Amino acid sequence: MSAEVERIILAGFGGQGILFLGKILAEAGMRNGKHVSWIPSYGPEMRGGTANCTVIISEHPIASPLVTVPDTVIAMNRPSVAKFNVRIKAGGMLMYNSSLIERQEFRDDIRLVEIPASEIADELGNARVANLVMAGAYAKFSKLIDYEGMVKALPQLIPASKKELAEINLAAFERGYQYVKEKKYMFGRYVYSVFKGI
Amino acid sequence: MADKVLMKGNEVIGEAAVLAGCRYYFGYPITPQSEIPAYLSRRLPEVEGVFLQAESEVAAINMVYGAASAGARVMTSSSSPGVSLKQEGLSYIAGAELPCVVVNVVRGGPGLGNISPAQSDYWQATRGGGHGDYRTLVLAPNSVQEIADMTIAAFELADRFRNPVLLLVDGILGQMMEPVQLPAPLSYDLNQKPWALGNPNRKGGRNLCSTIFLDVEQLEEHNWHLYQKYQVVTDEFAKGAYQHLAVETHAVDDAEIILVGYGIISRILKTVVEKARKRGIKAGLVRPKTLWPFPSQVLADLAARTKQFLVVEMSCGQMVEDVKLAVNGRKPVFFFGRTGGTVPSDFEILNEVDKLVRPD
Amino acid sequence: MTMEQVFARPKCMTKTPFHYCPGCDHGVVHRLIGESLDELELGDKTIGVAPVGCSVFAFDYFTFDFNQAAHGRAPAVATGIKRVRPDHIVFTYQGDGDLAAIGTAEIIHAANRGEKITVIFINNAIYGMTGGQMAPTTLVGMKTATSPYGRDAQLCGNPIKMAEMLATLEAPVYVTRVSVNTPANLMKAKKALKNAFRLQKEGKGFTFVEVVCICPTNWGKTPNDAHKWLAEKMLPVFPLGTYKDVLGVDKG
Ligand SMILES: Cc1ncc(C[n+]2csc(CCOP(=O)(O)OP(=O)(O)O)c2C)c(N)n1
Ligand code: SF4
Ligand SMILES: [Mg+2]
C-alpha cells in the first residue's frame, strides 16, 4: 500500500452501513492529520438497494476526489465485487465480506483479503456492525490511519440516536483489526496463495 | 480556532449561512440539495431564525424578496428545475437592488432530467436568467472548505453590491464530505441597512422597494445605474478587493496547453495536469472561482503565452463561449464535455489532452 | 372443464412491474384506474398526465397516451390536452406536494373553470419522492425531514383539506375523498373513480377523487402499521366521503 495516498471504493447493500463505514475511514484519516474526501453514490442508484462511496486519504491535498481506479475495494456483498473488481489497480487490494461472498476465481493481479465480517458481527450480537469489523480490518492495512487514535475517537462518532451501540461498534472495530493481525495477512499473501491454488 | 470537522457540502452551506448572520431561509424540496433545508429546519430555530418551507420556488424567492427588502440576510436554495422557477423573483430582486443568496445545486437537464451532477445551468446563472438587463454574481466553489468560505463571502458581496449572489454547486460537491474549518460567526444587525423597509434607523422619509419605472427616461437611467454598478463589481474582481475570489491558476507559467474548468471539474483537471506533466506534457489549469464577473483578463494574458486552451465542462459547452470571448481568437480554444449527469474521468480528459498535444 | 379467470391485469395496463416501495398504495390506485377504464371501455380513449412525485413514471404502467408534466402544472397541461382532444378522457394523477403546494393555483383554476377532466389526488401527507419532507397535508405534530420538531401549526399552518376546499367552488360536479386501506374502502374508491370517469365521458364537468394513501417508507412504518396509522390519525383529519355530487351519482 502506497504510503502517500489511499483511494478506496466501498460498496454493499443499502442498510449495511456502507456510507458510515466510509465516513469512519475518512474521520480516521482526518484525525490523523491527513487530507480526506468522501463521496456517496446518491439518488436513483440508491433505489436499487445498493450503496457505495468513495474515500480518499492522502498526505497531500486531494486534487480529484473522484476515483476511477481504486487502490482498494471493500465489498460487503456479491454485486459489489462484480461491479468494482475490474476497476481495482493492478497490485491493489480487494477486501471482502467472506460471510456473504464465496471464494471464486478473482483477478490474480490483486491482493485478496477475506474477512468474515458478518459472522464476526453476529458473534458480537449484532449483524449490523459488520461494517465496523471491515473498518478495523482496513485500519490494520492502512498506512494513513492511526488505529489507537481511532479506538479513542470512535465512541464520539456514533450518532446520539445510536449511543447504546457505541460499545459494540468499538468491539467490532477491534475484532476486525485483530482478525487481520492474527491471520498475518500482511499484504494479503496468505489468501493470495490460497487462491492461486484453485 | 475550531477543529476541522467532516461535513457534507450541503450541510456546510446551511451552517455557513447561519455563521454569516443569515436567519431567514425559504425553500422548496428538491434533490440533490435536500440536506440544506433539512439542516436549516433543525438549525435556524436554535438561533431564533425562521425556516419556512414555501409552497413553491416561485413563492420561496418572493419570500426572499420580501425579507431582503426588510433588511434581513436571507437565503434560498434549490436545484435546476426549481431555480428556473426562481428567475422571475431574481429579476425583481436585481431590479430593486436587494441583497440575497441563492444556491443552485445543479442537476442534469433540461426539463426534469435527472439528479446527477451537471454544469448545464452556466448560461442561466451568468446571463441573469430572468427578464431585463441585469446581472447576478456567481461563485463556483470546488471544495467543501471553499463552500464554507464562499457562502460567507456571498452574503458579504450581496450586501456590499445590493445584488443577488448565486452559489453554483453541483450534486457531487453538495453530497461530498471533506474536512472543513468553520469560521467565526459574523454579527449582523437587522437595522444596519438604512434603505430597509421598517428600519427604525432611517434618515427620514419613507423607504420604498420597487422595480416599476413607467417613465422611459427614468428606467433607462436606472438601467445605466445598474450597469455602472456591474462595472464596479467587474473591476473589483479583476484588480480590486475581490481578486482573491476571482480565479485560481495552477502550473500555467510554462504551460503549452491550458485546461479551463470550474467547480468539481477543476479538481479532476488538477489531477489531469499532474498526470500530463508526468508524461512530459506541459499542461496548466485556469479555474474561474467566480463565473460572473468572468476572469477574462487572466485568460487574455495567458493567450499570449500558451499554445492552446481546452475547456472541460459537464455540459455541451457553455462556459467555453466566455473563454473564447476572453481569448478573442488569439489561440485555439477546444472543448470537451460530458452531459446528462455524467462526470468525465481524468483518463478521458487526459486522452483529449494527448490528442491535442500530439495530433498524430 | 372451463375455468373462469377472475383476476387478470387490466387491458389498459402494461406488464411492467411497479417501481414503488413494497406496500405502497400508488400501485393499488393505478390498478383501480386501470380496472375502471377497462370496465367503462375507455382504455383506448384516455390520456393521462402525471407530474413529478413517486408516480412520475406512471406512464410506464398504462398502455394509453401520457404526458409527463412539470411539478404542479398537470391541471394546466390537462386543460390544454382536453381542449384539443375533447373526445378523450383526460386525467391527472398528482401527489399532495404537487397538487396542494406548488400546483395550488393550477388546481383551483382548472376546477373553477370546470375543465372536463378528472383529477386523482394521492394524499400521503408527505413528499415521497424527494425523501420525506413536510407536505401541505402533513398532520400537525408529524415529524418529517423538514419538520424535525413536528409540524407546528403556528409556523406552517394546518393540513390543507383539498376536497372540502374544491367543493366550495361552483363548477366541479363531483368531489370525493376515498381510501384503499380496507377491502370495503377499496371498493368504494373504485366506484368513485368510475363515477368520475363516467361523468367526464358524459361531458358533465370537473371531477376530483382524493385518495388518502400511505407512504410506509417515509413514514418509517411497515405497510401494516402505516395502514393502522392512516385509519387512526389521518382519517379524522381527512374524513372520507363525497363533498360535492351535483348529479347524485353516488346514490346510483
Ligand atoms: C420545480 C420543481 N421543484 C421541486 C421538484 C422536486 N420534487 C419532485 S417530486 C416532489 C414532490 C413529491 O411529493 P408529492 O407530490 O406529495 O408526491 P409523492 O412522491 O408523495 O407521491 C418534489 C418537491 C421538482 N421536480 N421540480
Ligand atoms: S416513497 Fe412512499 S409514496 Fe413513494 S413509492 Fe415509496 S412508499 Fe410509495
Ligand atoms: Mg405525497
Side-chain angles (χ1 to χ4, degrees):
Chain A
M1 196 165 281
S2 147
E4 308 223 320
V5 58
E6 298 174 14
R7 299 180 195 84
I8 314 151
I9 290 180
L10 310 97
F13 292 125
Q16 280 184 316
I18 298 299
L19 302 186
F20 187 65
L21 165 55
K23 187 180 169 183
I24 290 289
L25 298 184
E27 281 275 357
M30 180 180 81
R31 282 158 193 265
N32 200 26
K34 310 302 171 200
H35 297 269
V36 299
S37 64
W38 172 100
I39 301 179
S41 59
Y42 71 93
E45 272 187 78
M46 285 161 65
R47 290 270 148 128
T50 62
N52 70 73
C53 67
T54 300
V55 172
I56 300 181
I57 310 175
S58 174
E59 290 285 3
H60 310 290
I62 295 165
S64 173
L66 296 150
V67 170
T68 317
V69 181
D71 303 305
T72 298
V73 164
I74 300 182
M76 293 296 280
N77 67 359
R78 225 179 303 154
S80 305
V81 175
K83 186 165 175 190
F84 293 110
N85 182 30
V86 288
R87 280 172 51 180
I88 303 172
K89 187 165 100 182
M93 173 165 88
L94 171 63
M95 174 182 275
Y96 66 97
N97 179 4
S98 56
S99 312
L100 299 183
I101 304 165
E102 64 275 17
R103 279 191 181 179
Q104 52 192 285
E105 189 87 57
F106 292 107
R107 292 165 45 181
D108 63 5
D109 60 343
I110 53 174
R111 303 187 302 240
L112 296 160
V113 176
E114 53 179 22
I115 309 287
S118 300
E119 284 155 62
I120 295 178
D122 276 337
E123 276 170 32
L124 289 170
N126 189 336
R128 303 191 71 149
V129 297
N131 57 350
L132 265 290
V133 175
M134 283 305 219
Y138 184 80
K140 183 75 188 80
F141 287 99
S142 173
K143 302 263 188 300
L144 302 176
I145 290 177
D146 166 28
Y147 173 71
E148 300 300 334
M150 226 14 228
V151 168
K152 281 200 209 93
L154 202 57
Q156 299 158 33
L157 299 176
I158 308 297
S161 56
K162 300 206 171 106
K163 271 289 175 250
E164 73 281 2
L165 298 178
E167 224 166 89
I168 183 165
N169 270 300
L170 185 59
F173 185 71
E174 288 171 332
R175 280 288 299 273
Y177 185 88
Q178 288 305 328
Y179 185 85
V180 174
K181 197 171 170 188
E182 280 155 25
K183 282 269 172 185
K184 302 207 172 32
Y185 263 137
M186 296 312 288
F187 303 107
R189 285 244 178 69
Y190 172 80
V191 178
Y192 182 68
S193 56
V194 170
F195 274 82
K196 277 293 221 184
I198 51 175
Chain B
M1 245 198 217
D3 278 347
K4 284 193 174 179
V5 282
L6 195 61
M7 275 177 89
K8 263 195 176 190
N10 279 340
E11 295 187 337
V12 166
I13 292 173
E15 184 57 32
V18 170
L19 293 172
C22 169
R23 292 294 177 274
Y24 298 84
Y25 172 92
F26 306 96
Y28 187 78
I30 188 164
T31 318
Q33 59 85 57
S34 299
E35 294 84 0
I36 304 173
Y39 186 86
L40 287 171
S41 67
R42 255 183 290 126
R43 188 73 174 92
L44 278 172
E46 288 174 4
V47 291
E48 287 169 20
V50 171
F51 166 87
L52 205 152
Q53 183 177 309
E55 66 271 27
S56 71
E57 292 86 352
V58 178
I61 192 73
N62 282 290
M63 291 170 183
V64 169
Y65 181 47
S69 72
R73 280 200 161 161
V74 54
M75 180 168 89
T76 183
S77 65
S78 190
S79 176
S80 309
V83 178
S84 288
L85 286 188
K86 291 189 198 288
Q87 295 307 324
E88 175 197 76
L90 274 168
S91 166
Y92 283 77
I93 294 171
E97 291 194 84
L98 296 176
C100 73
V101 173
V102 176
V103 182
N104 184 357
V105 184
V106 183
R107 68 188 223 183
L112 267 189
N114 61 32
I115 61 173
S116 298
Q119 297 184 324
S120 38
D121 295 355
Y122 178 91
W123 283 333
Q124 184 199 58
T126 57
R127 265 59 182 169
H131 62 285
D133 227 346
Y134 76 94
R135 290 289 196 174
T136 49
L137 285 78
V138 185
L139 306 182
N142 80 350
S143 68
V144 175
Q145 181 64 53
E146 211 172 65
I147 284 176
D149 301 340
M150 282 192 171
T151 302
I152 289 174
F155 280 97
E156 291 178 324
L157 287 164
D159 278 359
R160 162 77 204 280
F161 295 113
R162 290 185 59 179
N163 208 73
V165 177
L166 242 76
L167 198 67
L168 207 65
V169 187
D170 63 68
I172 296 180
L173 286 164
Q175 300 292 328
M176 175 162 91
M177 280 203 274
E178 281 184 326
V180 58
Q181 184 121 49
L182 291 165
L186 303 177
S187 65
Y188 180 75
D189 175 5
L190 202 54
N191 292 325
Q192 73 188 49
K193 292 167 181 159
W195 46 261
L197 308 187
N199 184 350
N201 304 342
R202 76 190 64 191
K203 292 265 155 52
R206 65 142 199 202
N207 285 343
L208 175 70
C209 167
S210 164
T211 61
I212 185 165
F213 297 88
L214 287 183
D215 183 304
V216 289
E217 278 164 25
Q218 274 185 19
L219 182 53
E220 181 172 34
E221 194 185 315
H222 179 58
N223 272 310
W224 286 120
H225 158 72
L226 292 177
Y227 175 81
Q228 271 159 12
K229 178 171 84 175
Y230 302 143
Q231 286 308 114
V232 174
V233 178
T234 308
D235 287 348
E236 293 234 359
F237 274 80
K239 40 189 187 277
Y242 299 114
Q243 261 182 43
H244 65 287
L245 285 174
V247 62
E248 176 195 342
T249 59
H250 172 66
V252 288
D253 288 343
D254 62 342
E256 290 173 353
I257 179 166
I258 289 182
L259 308 180
V260 190
Y262 69 95
I264 193 69
I265 288 292
S266 66
R267 302 275 296 262
I268 303 172
L269 293 184
K270 208 167 213 177
T271 296
V272 173
V273 167
E274 283 163 17
K275 289 189 172 168
R277 287 203 169 250
K278 276 188 196 145
R279 291 188 187 185
I281 300 170
K282 287 184 183 152
L285 168 67
V286 171
R287 164 170 83 103
K289 292 163 72 170
T290 296
L291 304 179
W292 194 87
F294 193 72
S296 305
Q297 195 55 48
V298 171
L299 285 157
D301 292 346
L302 286 169
R305 291 197 261 147
T306 191
K307 289 190 182 144
Q308 53 187 335
F309 292 88
L310 174 63
V311 181
V312 182
E313 295 177 66
M314 288 192 287
S315 75
C316 296
Q318 300 194 5
M319 183 180 72
V320 62
E321 293 190 353
D322 281 339
V323 177
K324 282 184 176 166
L325 280 171
V327 171
N328 203 9
R330 274 170 291 212
K331 291 288 155 57
V333 175
F334 298 96
F335 176 75
F336 179 74
R338 296 297 305 265
T339 179
T342 308
V343 186
S345 75
D346 47 354
F347 291 94
E348 53 187 323
I349 302 171
L350 191 58
N351 200 25
E352 288 300 308
V353 172
D354 256 338
K355 278 195 276 181
L356 289 172
V357 176
R358 307 184 180 116
D360 35 18
Chain C
M1 198 175 87
T2 58
M3 267 211 284
E4 194 195 354
Q5 190 172 17
V6 291
F7 192 82
R9 178 167 35 83
K11 273 208 317 274
C12 66
M13 297 190 78
T14 64
K15 281 187 187 159
T16 316
F18 290 130
H19 70 284
Y20 302 110
C21 308
C24 175
D25 280 345
H26 271 304
V28 180
V29 180
H30 282 14
R31 183 167 172 105
L32 294 184
I33 293 171
E35 288 177 4
S36 304
L37 290 171
D38 267 14
E39 288 166 26
L40 296 167
E41 294 181 0
L42 292 170
D44 53 354
K45 267 288 187 199
T46 296
I47 301 173
V49 185
V52 278
C54 284
S55 48
V56 66
F57 293 117
F59 57 76
D60 275 340
Y61 310 121
F62 296 98
T63 55
F64 44 78
D65 294 355
F66 237 93
N67 179 308
Q68 182 263 298
H71 198 18
R73 314 296 181 228
V77 174
T79 297
I81 295 173
K82 185 74 182 189
R83 299 283 176 127
V84 177
R85 306 266 173 219
D87 55 333
H88 277 65
I89 296 293
V90 177
F91 75 87
T92 71
Y93 186 97
Q94 304 176 252
D96 39 55
D98 190 84
L99 181 139
I102 196 167
T104 337
E106 283 79 2
I107 184 59
I108 286 182
H109 291 282
N112 194 50
R113 286 191 305 266
E115 292 299 337
K116 295 179 178 60
I117 60 174
T118 298
V119 170
I120 298 159
F121 171 43
I122 304 299
N123 175 2
N124 57 10
I126 203 127
Y127 286 65
M129 186 185 216
T130 41
Q133 293 84 4
M134 186 185 72
T137 47
T138 293
L139 303 189
V140 171
M142 187 173 161
K143 286 186 183 167
T144 70
T146 49
S147 57
Y149 306 111
R151 180 178 184 148
D152 176 355
Q154 291 302 315
L155 181 63
C156 312
N158 287 281
I160 296 189
K161 305 180 183 197
M162 288 309 298
E164 287 87 331
M165 254 173 74
L166 293 177
T168 66
L169 299 173
E170 283 294 318
V173 292
Y174 185 59
V175 177
T176 189
R177 181 185 290 124
V178 296
S179 184
V180 293
N181 64 325
T182 64
N185 280 342
L186 190 118
M187 294 319 291
K188 281 191 203 152
K190 180 163 166 192
K191 192 167 160 241
L193 287 167
K194 275 178 89 169
N195 282 342
F197 289 135
R198 195 182 297 114
L199 285 165
Q200 184 182 163
K201 189 183 157 208
E202 292 164 1
K204 299 294 191 221
F206 180 87
T207 51
F208 182 84
V209 181
E210 172 170 343
V211 191
V212 182
C213 288
I214 59 169
C215 172
T217 301
N218 287 300
W219 292 2
K221 292 183 164 54
T222 64
N224 259 343
D225 288 350
H227 275 125
K228 260 187 232 148
W229 193 85
L230 177 146
E232 276 168 28
K233 299 280 158 83
M234 270 187 89
L235 295 187
V237 180
F238 300 108
L240 304 183
T242 294
Y243 292 84
K244 192 158 192 213
D245 185 4
V246 174
L247 298 147
V249 288
D250 260 4
K251 283 165 208 92

